[in-house]
Amino acid sequence: MNTLAEKGIFFIPAGSEFGLANNKAVYIVYAPLSGRSFLITGSEKGNIEQKLLSLSDSADTDNDPLRAMFAEEQRRQWLQFRIAPEDCLNLTILPNHRCNFRCTYCYSAGGRSNAELNSTQITALATWALQHCAKKNKPCRILFLGGGEPLLSWETMRESILQIEERSKELGATLDFSVSTNGSLLTAEKIDFLRNHKVRVQVSFEVLEDVQNEQRGHYDLVHNNICIALAEGLNPGIHSVITETNIDRMEEVVHTAHKQYPNLKKLGLEPVVDAELLNTPAKAADFYQRFYDGYIKAEKLCQEYGIELLTACSKALETVRTHYCAGQITLTPLGTFSSCEAISNPKENGYQEAIFGKLNEEGQPEFDLQSFRRYHPAEPGFMRDKCSTCWARWNCGGGCNYKRNTLSEDVFDEYCKLNCKLMEHFLANKLRREFSLATPGADLDAVVANTLSQNQ
């Protein structure tokens, strides 16, 4: 008999999430493939498990609501899915390897060069992707990102956006543009163009003046540009990297961001990837626990201020995947295709393993399927053997390849634990929202505590 986990149904101990001393006092029953979840007490777990097991072995088609947890057809489809390059419809464009900042934690600092893309190259890959998007009736997402600072290639970016928009109209495909920038080059002209062409903007910025100047520099310049962008209706999001310097100041980051930029709608907080800082499992466990505690406090403050707080796994529950970054092609400044946006230069470790194609002399995409399979195996194995027993595997897809290759395995295990804790929290928040909609004015946490006290 198959176990429920093999069927894609998991029992997640969640007592601590609801403020209980006994983590097994309550469980979240979660079926990622059907997108369903509900909350039970620990005393109900045995009966619910047996009921679900009996339903999984039964051919009956009764109307038991628990049947909605099963998604056997979706599970079979995902296990049989063999991703191909034409399924990779999210493009990350690295226009150059140059940067005007020297961030202390930069992953690409060792790969600086004069290599730079032109608009013809970018438009050629985008046109290829748009053709497949139109056939699949899916949007084409294009992110301009740093292998340096993308706005140093502004004219190339601008021309590419205009050309790609024309191609999308011709092909009947939808577009979603975004750019991630250090914010230093946001002039009024660029702001006007980005707003008019509906390009979403994220500024990498530490918010706190002393931290920005220590880790990235140029606080006044970036701060002023963010204020101008907000005043002009561009409304960029802010992304802050959390290091040992600011890990115990995450609430302060939120409070300062709201005070300085009252129209701010999105704020991202992400723990730094630093093999020297996180050089033992104990240090990593402490750092990630402090990040989690700070994130929960920051989240409460963001809710008060009307800011959406994000981190790498914030949207993971909305996605089913068997491989992390499975739908992405990164176009490097060398005209090659990388499986990882953090690996784009031959000077960087793992470059040869990450590259799976290029734009040929005619400017057309050319793929090496054998190389493609290094990061996109034909058999969905979730990348790590340890994933086979993890409830989060259908949403995280085995985790970020770059983090997995940069951090030692035992430190990456601690990062996985952080992701699972955050995803459990996001899942509990989803249940809280659903409960609040179904029972206006009621508080799920209070109901859980009251129910357990009555059962004692």
Side-chain angles (χ1 to χ4, degrees), residues 22-175:
N22 179 7
N23 198 37
K24 295 183 178 181
V26 295
Y27 286 81
I28 297 174
V29 186
Y30 178 48
L33 295 171
S34 66
R36 297 177 183 273
S37 56
F38 60 91
L39 198 64
I40 61 171
T41 64
S43 61
E44 296 174 303
K45 180 173 180 284
N47 289 336
I48 297 294
E49 280 182 318
Q50 288 303 314
K51 180 63 176 176
L52 285 167
L53 284 169
S54 67
L55 289 171
S56 71
D57 292 335
S58 171
D60 293 341
T61 57
D62 58 48
N63 294 321
D64 193 305
L66 287 177
R67 279 198 176 277
M69 300 295 286
F70 292 93
E72 187 61 23
E73 182 59 31
Q74 291 95 316
R75 189 177 74 90
R76 280 196 296 268
Q77 289 177 359
W78 275 107
L79 290 174
Q80 293 169 4
F81 179 59
R82 304 292 180 265
I83 190 169
E86 55 266 27
D87 295 311
C88 298
L89 304 178
N90 299 327
L91 305 183
T92 298
I93 310 297
L94 310 182
N96 61 63
H97 277 142
R98 296 179 289 121
C99 194
N100 57 340
F101 277 19
R102 286 182 172 82
C103 303
T104 58
Y105 46 71
C106 181
Y107 58 79
S108 64
R112 298 282 175 252
S113 77
N114 291 322
E116 189 166 6
L117 292 168
N118 58 54
S119 60
T120 300
Q121 292 171 299
I122 295 170
T123 304
L125 179 60
T127 299
W128 172 87
L130 286 166
Q131 290 169 340
H132 291 288
C133 287
K135 291 177 184 177
K136 298 173 184 289
N137 195 28
K138 291 184 177 180
C140 183
R141 296 183 172 88
I142 300 178
L143 165 64
F144 291 93
L145 187 65
E149 164 53 40
L151 294 189
L152 284 170
S153 300
W154 172 249
E155 282 305 313
T156 295
M157 267 186 60
R158 188 185 66 81
E159 291 174 14
S160 299
I161 289 170
L162 292 173
Q163 291 171 11
I164 293 168
E165 285 178 335
E166 287 300 313
R167 299 291 188 278
S168 70
K169 292 175 184 176
E170 294 168 5
L171 295 166
T174 56
L175 274 172

Side-chain angles (χ1 to χ4, degrees), residues 267-341:
L267 174 65
L269 301 176
E270 191 65 25
V272 68
V273 182
D274 186 338
E276 292 185 9
L277 170 66
L278 308 173
N279 57 10
T280 69
K283 287 183 180 179
D286 175 70
F287 182 81
Y288 291 139
Q289 183 61 53
R290 289 158 68 196
F291 178 88
Y292 178 83
D293 293 341
Y295 189 92
I296 299 304
K297 293 175 182 177
E299 181 185 64
K300 292 179 180 178
L301 201 53
C302 279
Q303 291 170 349
E304 179 183 335
Y305 292 148
I307 299 172
E308 182 182 6
L309 185 63
L310 301 167
T311 192
C313 64
S314 297
K315 304 295 185 180
L317 297 176
E318 300 173 7
T319 306
V320 173
R321 54 185 169 177
T322 57
H323 302 97
Y324 194 89
C325 283
Q328 176 176 300
I329 295 177
T330 295
L331 177 61
T332 79
L334 300 171
T336 55
F337 305 150
S338 175
S339 295
C340 180
E341 62 194 31

Side-chain angles (χ1 to χ4, degrees), residues 252-453:
E252 184 184 352
V253 170
V254 174
H255 179 72
T256 303
H258 176 66
K259 180 180 178 181
Q260 298 277 39
Y261 321 111
N263 296 329
L264 183 70
K265 298 301 181 186
K266 290 187 178 183
L267 174 65
L269 301 176
E270 191 65 25
V272 68
V273 182
D274 186 338
E276 292 185 9
L277 170 66
L278 308 173
N279 57 10
T280 69
K283 287 183 180 179
D286 175 70
F287 182 81
Y288 291 139
Q289 183 61 53
R290 289 158 68 196
F291 178 88
Y292 178 83
D293 293 341
Y295 189 92
I296 299 304
K297 293 175 182 177
E299 181 185 64
K300 292 179 180 178
L301 201 53
C302 279
Q303 291 170 349
E304 179 183 335
Y305 292 148
I307 299 172
E308 182 182 6
L309 185 63
L310 301 167
T311 192
C313 64
S314 297
K315 304 295 185 180
L317 297 176
E318 300 173 7
T319 306
V320 173
R321 54 185 169 177
T322 57
H323 302 97
Y324 194 89
C325 283
Q328 176 176 300
I329 295 177
T330 295
L331 177 61
T332 79
L334 300 171
T336 55
F337 305 150
S338 175
S339 295
C340 180
E341 62 194 31
I343 303 175
S344 63
N345 191 293
K347 298 177 184 178
E348 296 166 341
N349 292 332
Y351 177 79
Q352 296 302 329
E353 291 75 16
I355 298 303
F356 64 88
K358 63 182 181 179
L359 292 170
N360 62 26
E361 293 181 359
E362 289 73 41
Q364 296 304 308
E366 190 174 89
F367 300 98
D368 180 340
L369 289 179
Q370 184 176 352
S371 299
F372 180 78
R373 289 290 168 222
R374 281 198 293 263
Y375 271 67
H376 306 87
E379 297 298 327
F382 306 101
M383 303 307 292
R384 305 175 80 215
D385 290 341
K386 295 176 182 178
C387 297
S388 62
T389 58
C390 179
W391 67 266
R393 66 180 185 263
W394 285 106
N395 298 120
C396 85
C400 171
N401 297 319
Y402 175 74
K403 293 184 177 80
R404 190 173 58 250
N405 293 331
T406 301
L407 304 172
S408 65
E409 184 173 357
D410 48 7
V411 167
F412 188 76
D413 286 343
E414 297 301 325
Y415 177 74
C416 279
K417 292 176 186 176
L418 168 66
N419 262 5
C420 285
K421 286 180 67 175
L422 285 168
M423 287 172 63
E424 177 190 322
H425 174 68
F426 300 146
L427 191 55
N429 278 348
K430 176 175 176 286
L431 292 173
R432 291 180 176 110
R433 290 192 297 271
E434 291 172 350
F435 185 79
S436 178
L437 288 172
T439 318
D443 179 79
L444 181 58
D445 293 64
V447 171
V448 168
N450 184 55
T451 300
L452 289 173
S453 66

